[in-house]
């Protein structure tokens, strides 16, 4: 590989050097982000499920850790990125401005689902009061024979968070949420 003599400069996207193998993808900050949005710290990759829509089928999902102990809106570096192997482009599948997302570090796929582990939605690590890992599933769902729909993680995240906030601690549902 070319690094450290040949690489893509992070802030500019310029190629530095000309020896070795360039990366397949260079994740750069969004152009002129007003909020500082960027993806840093690739932690895990998973190939897209084979039954996902064509636009997100031939590629890899990349979980970004971002800032070590920050989560939610304080971690502007933690998107889930989809990298398209057909055209070399990528986009934020889950943006880094989700208030209840910390570190989307663990990824696993089956033929019809993408599982995403958030090791700490509040962002902190090592504090028993905030260690609240969550696993999300994005799945192809067939509610009726002729209709195909795809559940978005934003809907799943928000529904789970609202349900958890509405339940009081100690109830059966609250204990398992």
């Amino acid at each position: 590989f070319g690094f450290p003599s040949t690489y893509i400069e992070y802030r500019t996207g310029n190629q530095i050097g000309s020896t070795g193998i360039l990366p397949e993808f260079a994740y750069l900050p969004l152009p002129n982000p007003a909020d500082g949005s960027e993806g840093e710290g690739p932690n895990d990759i998973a190939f897209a499920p084979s039954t996902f829509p064509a636009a997100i089928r031939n590629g890899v999902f990349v979980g970004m850790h971002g800032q070590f102990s920050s989560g939610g809106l304080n971690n502007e570096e933690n998107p889930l990125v989809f990298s398209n192997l057909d055209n070399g482009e990528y986009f934020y599948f889950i943006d880094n401005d989700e208030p209840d997302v910390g570190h989307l570090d663990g990824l696993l796929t089956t033929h019809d689902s993408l599982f995403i582990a958030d090791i700490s939605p509040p962002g902190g690590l090592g504090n028993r009061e905030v260690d609240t890992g969550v696993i999300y599933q994005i799945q192809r769902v067939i509610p009726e024979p002729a209709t195909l729909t795809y559940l978005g993680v934003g809907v799943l995240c928000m529904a789970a968070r609202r349900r958890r906030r509405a339940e009081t601690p100690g109830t059966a549902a609250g204990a398992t949420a």
Side-chain angles (χ1 to χ4, degrees):
F1 298 108
F3 195 80
S5 301
T6 302
Y7 58 94
I8 305 298
E9 191 172 40
Y10 182 66
R11 295 279 175 206
T12 67
N14 295 330
Q15 179 178 329
I16 306 299
S18 60
T19 60
I21 300 170
L22 288 174
E24 193 69 31
F25 293 94
Y27 302 106
L28 306 173
L30 295 176
N32 300 318
D35 61 358
S37 293
E38 53 191 314
E40 281 191 13
N43 189 73
D44 200 1
I45 66 169
F47 286 94
S50 61
T51 61
F52 268 25
I56 55 171
R57 186 178 306 140
N58 189 30
V60 293
F61 289 94
V62 181
M64 302 282 183
H65 186 86
Q67 295 187 26
F68 180 73
S69 61
S70 293
L73 301 176
N74 293 324
N75 189 351
E76 77 284 359
E77 302 172 353
N78 64 341
L80 177 66
V81 178
F82 177 77
S83 303
N84 189 319
L85 297 173
D86 288 330
N87 61 19
E89 296 178 358
Y90 66 90
F91 63 90
Y92 290 2
F93 186 75
I94 299 175
D95 211 340
N96 53 9
D97 61 357
E98 295 294 329
D100 295 323
V101 171
H103 308 287
L104 302 175
D105 286 350
L107 304 175
L108 173 74
T109 55
T110 63
H111 76 286
D112 69 348
S113 295
L114 169 64
F115 293 89
I116 308 164
D118 185 348
I119 63 172
S120 178
L125 301 172
N127 181 342
R128 289 190 175 270
E129 294 178 19
V130 297
D131 287 344
T132 57
V134 179
I135 297 176
Y136 300 104
Q137 179 181 14
I138 300 175
Q139 178 181 26
R140 177 177 171 163
V141 176
I142 306 173
E144 296 179 25
T147 306
L148 299 179
T149 59
Y150 292 88
L151 296 177
V153 76
V155 173
L156 293 174
C157 291
M158 296 312 294
R161 297 282 182 217
R162 285 186 187 131
R163 184 180 69 244
R164 193 173 12 237
R165 287 182 184 141
E167 296 168 348
T168 57
T171 64
T176 61

